[in-house]
């Protein structure tokens, strides 16, 4: 688990080769909105937008279980893809799961 959203953002910038930049741009419902600038070479790896709903929902469940709250993360995350920006809102563990599934 991440201690803070800032720690999570630094981890994603350092560990994910397809992320050129990541930053917190605001909060929605108390959850951070993180914008990831995706390297152009990785654009083809992003899953079809039709799958985003299922990716988000399964990530909410798995992230909630990891944190220990299970279903409390229902409808707390969102995902938008407007190349080159991937915008993800949610709890850091949920965002981490979304990143793993969307690419």
């Amino acid at each position: 688990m991440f201690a803070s959203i800032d720690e999570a953002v630094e981890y994603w910038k350092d560990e994910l080769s397809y992320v050129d930049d990541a930053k917190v741009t605001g909060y929605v419902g108390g959850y951070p909105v993180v914008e990831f600038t995706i390297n152009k070479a990785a654009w083809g790896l992003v899953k079809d937008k039709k799958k985003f709903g299922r990716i988000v929902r399964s990530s909410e469940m798995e992230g909630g279980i990891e944190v220990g709250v299970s279903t409390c993360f229902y409808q707390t995350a969102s995902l938008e893809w407007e190349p080159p920006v991937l915008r993800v809102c949610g709890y850091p563990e949920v965002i981490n799961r979304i990143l793993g599934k969307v690419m």
Side-chain angles (χ1 to χ4, degrees), residues 46-102:
V46 177
K47 299 267 193 293
D48 184 12
K49 289 183 180 184
K50 294 177 188 175
K51 297 181 181 182
F52 282 7
R54 186 169 181 89
I55 289 170
V56 168
R57 184 63 194 123
S58 66
S59 297
E60 287 172 333
M61 285 300 298
E62 292 168 7
I65 290 168
E66 179 182 346
V67 173
V69 295
S70 190
T71 59
C72 293
F73 285 144
Y74 181 65
Q75 294 184 339
T76 60
S78 64
L79 172 62
E80 297 174 21
W81 171 237
E82 297 170 12
V85 175
L86 182 69
R87 191 172 298 110
V88 187
C89 174
Y91 200 78
E93 278 72 17
V94 174
I95 293 173
N96 198 45
R97 300 255 179 197
I98 289 172
L99 290 173
K101 292 178 181 190
V102 81

Side-chain angles (χ1 to χ4, degrees), residues 6-57:
D6 295 326
E7 177 186 312
V9 168
E10 289 304 315
Y11 170 81
W12 293 321
K13 287 196 302 193
D14 292 341
E15 296 297 320
L16 302 177
S17 62
Y18 55 85
V19 172
D20 287 337
D21 191 25
K23 61 185 174 226
V24 177
T25 59
Y27 289 82
V28 174
Y31 296 97
V33 177
V34 182
E35 285 189 358
F36 298 91
T37 304
I38 304 299
N39 185 315
K40 188 169 183 165
W43 289 6
L45 299 176
V46 177
K47 299 267 193 293
D48 184 12
K49 289 183 180 184
K50 294 177 188 175
K51 297 181 181 182
F52 282 7
R54 186 169 181 89
I55 289 170
V56 168
R57 184 63 194 123

